[in-house]
Every structure is written in structure tokens, then in C-alpha cells.
Amino acid sequence: MIIHYNGSSWSDVTPATVKNIHGVLYTIHGVAANDIWAGGYEYAVHYNGATWSTFKVADSMSVASITGSGSSVYLTMSSNWGKNIIQLYKLSGTQFELIDQTPDYPSKFCYHLWLHGNQLLSMGYNIYSNTIRSDGTIDTSAWEEVYNTGGRSIVQFQVLSPSDIIAVGSVYLVCQYDGTQWKQFDIRGPNDPGNYLSSLFALWTNGNDIFVCNYHDGIIYHGK
């Protein structure tokens, strides 16, 4: 389903075209009121401001992340049934075209994507970058590691601007990009049990305040 908040209440706005795919939606990405993507099991769906369109991407795979705008749209697909691969697709006309794939570990790129200009950033176990060619493809052998997370995995990230990205993940991973470099932070407090497996699973920030959820220990951190 797709639900919408209008400032005072939530409503179910799932159109018939989306209900008919009979799939679960896992991720959403929007850059404008008339350019919103969502992705899930086998399908990606797009809202143009008036109607939703559906795109069959791959059998028995799920959309993990979507990035881009207009006709420059990229997504990753992963398997829920032990295929142990990550696939990278780009929008080509009215369908998505497979342009690269990798084992999920060790991998040359990861699940989470962010497109900025002609640079495609991929985050997960470490952070990787590649350059988009003029035809929208990439050199599949040119992925570059731009930041090493020390074996910890990024679970979620939020882009406030090209010079302010926050990412959180497993084993208390919190890192920030300031437009030049990535930095890690330790946010464990005095009452934190210090569980090595603790995952920071979700975050929200407006640039001044940040809230991070500790998935395992039921702790919410607040910082500025």
C-alpha cells in the first residue's frame, strides 16, 4: 500500500495499478511532487503527479534502493531467497536495463544508492563510487572504494545536501559526509549496554536535530 499525510491526517492512496502487482513495497524515493518512485518485490512504481505507472524489473528479486530524477533513474535489486547477489539497473525508456551485478559479500558495490551529478554512490559494507557515462551506463570495473566502514554495514542514510549526508548502520555505525570527507562518530551513552551486535536501524534529521534508533536495545539517541 501507499499512504499519504496531508498535514493533519493519513490516507490510503494506493491506486489499482499498484494493488494489481500483488507485491510488497520496500523503499520510496521522491525529488518532486510529480516525480516519486517506490520499489518492492519484482516491481518499481512511478508517480508523475497524476497517475502511477508500474515497471516489472526482475523475477524473484526485490528493489532495495532507488535514486535519480527524470529519466536518469537507477535501482538495486536483491534476493530474499539466498541468491546472494546485488543487481544494478538503469531506466531505459519504459523498462529497466541490467548494467552490473556483484556478490553481496564481498561486493564491488552495495544496496543503497545516491546519484549526484554524474557520480553514483553506493553504500553498505563500505562506500563506493562510479562515474555515469553520457549514455547512462558505467564502467563495471571502475568502482572505487571512497570510505571503509571497518566491516560495519550502512542500513539507512539521509541526504540533506551534497555536502551533508548522514548514514547509520550495524555495530553503532554513524558517519557523516561534509562535502569533502566521511567521518565516524561514537554516540553510545553512559546507560547504553554496549551490545556489539546493536544496529542503528533508522534515522531522521532536519540538519539541526538528529534522532537515531538502536534496533536491538530499544534506545533512541538525540543529537545536534
Side-chain angles (χ1 to χ4, degrees):
M1 66 185 304
I2 298 171
I3 59 176
H4 176 255
Y5 183 68
N6 64 6
S8 60
S9 62
W10 289 91
S11 60
D12 183 351
V13 296
T14 316
T17 52
V18 175
K19 290 180 179 178
N20 289 340
I21 67 176
H22 300 294
V24 178
L25 297 176
Y26 295 110
T27 185
I28 192 164
H29 169 75
V31 296
N34 62 351
D35 194 1
I36 301 173
W37 285 90
Y41 179 63
E42 297 187 344
Y43 281 85
V45 298
H46 179 252
Y47 183 65
N48 65 4
T51 60
W52 287 87
S53 303
T54 61
F55 298 77
K56 178 69 176 290
V57 184
D59 292 329
S60 302
M61 301 282 284
S62 296
V63 177
S65 178
I66 305 175
T67 188
S69 62
S71 60
S72 299
V73 178
Y74 296 82
L75 60 79
T76 52
M77 299 285 283
S78 62
S79 170
N80 299 332
W81 296 276
K83 291 184 179 180
N84 300 319
I85 60 172
I86 306 171
Q87 296 180 327
L88 176 65
Y89 290 78
K90 77 174 185 70
L91 182 63
S92 179
T94 59
Q95 62 185 8
F96 279 91
E97 171 189 356
L98 177 65
I99 59 173
D100 203 359
Q101 64 181 23
T102 180
D104 58 7
Y105 189 84
S107 62
K108 60 180 177 179
F109 62 90
C110 303
Y111 295 101
H112 304 295
L113 299 175
W114 179 57
L115 179 66
H116 175 58
N118 68 341
Q119 293 298 306
L120 186 62
L121 206 65
S122 172
M123 292 177 266
Y125 286 105
N126 304 323
I127 301 174
Y128 302 91
S129 179
N130 207 327
T131 301
I132 303 295
R133 297 171 173 148
S134 59
D135 64 355
T137 63
I138 61 170
D139 181 347
T140 59
S141 64
W143 287 99
E144 177 188 3
E145 181 184 298
V146 296
Y147 187 72
N148 190 302
T149 62
R152 295 181 282 180
S153 177
I154 291 173
V155 175
Q156 185 177 350
F157 72 99
Q158 184 172 342
V159 177
L160 291 170
S161 74
S163 60
D164 192 1
I165 304 174
I166 304 288
V168 299
S170 62
V171 199
Y172 294 102
L173 177 63
V174 179
C175 52
Q176 181 181 27
Y177 181 67
D178 63 7
T180 302
Q181 61 182 342
W182 288 89
K183 298 178 181 178
Q184 284 193 34
F185 299 90
D186 186 354
I187 66 172
R188 281 176 284 186
N191 298 319
D192 195 310
N195 182 356
Y196 180 77
L197 297 177
S198 288
S199 291
L200 304 180
F201 192 76
L203 72 92
W204 177 88
T205 179
N206 60 7
N208 296 314
D209 292 273
I210 180 171
F211 294 88
V212 179
C213 176
N214 183 324
Y215 177 75
H216 286 90
D217 298 321
I219 296 172
I220 296 177
Y221 305 93
H222 173 231
K224 291 184 179 292

